[in-house]
Amino acid sequence: MRLYRSKPQVHKNYLGRPWKEYSRTVFINCSMEALITPQGWMPWSGDFALTTLYFGEFGNSGVGCDLSQRWNWTSKIPSQHVNTYSVQNFIQGDEWMST
């Protein structure tokens, strides 16, 4: 944070960018500091993969979680869909993680 605060216009940080079509990245209940760029996500190359990706956020906190300036191709995850991305459902975490 000290480095970011020294030159915030130079040290830009993003939540992710689409490397492939059908990219899927979610942030749920995370604390996000001011160093997260207001748009949140970074396009890869022009509009590559923007129509097939799913970049979602839900229940995050902190200055960097403000969704009002996010790109229009990102999503606020509906509360009824959050469980879809749970460790158990998304990566079968209940099979390899102890409770």
Side-chain angles (χ1 to χ4, degrees):
M1 287 302 298
R2 182 176 47 212
L3 184 61
Y4 166 76
R5 288 187 182 111
S6 70
K7 291 186 178 181
Q9 67 280 9
V10 173
H11 301 287
K12 298 186 182 294
N13 295 276
Y14 299 89
L15 300 173
R17 62 183 178 182
W19 284 52
K20 299 281 185 181
E21 292 179 321
Y22 302 97
S23 297
R24 180 173 298 247
T25 304
V26 298
F27 285 85
I28 298 172
N29 298 328
C30 297
S31 176
M32 297 183 179
E33 297 288 343
L35 59 88
I36 301 298
T37 301
Q39 292 81 13
W41 308 88
M42 180 180 185
W44 178 254
S45 178
D47 63 355
F48 172 75
L50 298 183
T51 60
T52 62
L53 63 75
Y54 184 83
F55 286 176
E57 300 177 60
F58 177 86
N60 299 320
S61 61
V63 179
C65 79
D66 180 6
L67 299 177
S68 67
Q69 295 184 51
R70 295 293 198 248
W71 292 106
N72 62 359
W73 39 266
T74 64
S75 302
K76 179 179 179 187
I77 302 169
S79 59
Q80 65 268 29
H81 295 168
V82 169
N83 194 43
T84 303
Y85 301 103
S86 71
V87 172
Q88 291 78 17
N89 287 330
F90 200 61
I91 58 173
Q92 295 77 40
D94 53 343
E95 295 176 16
W96 56 274
M97 293 177 65
S98 60
T99 56

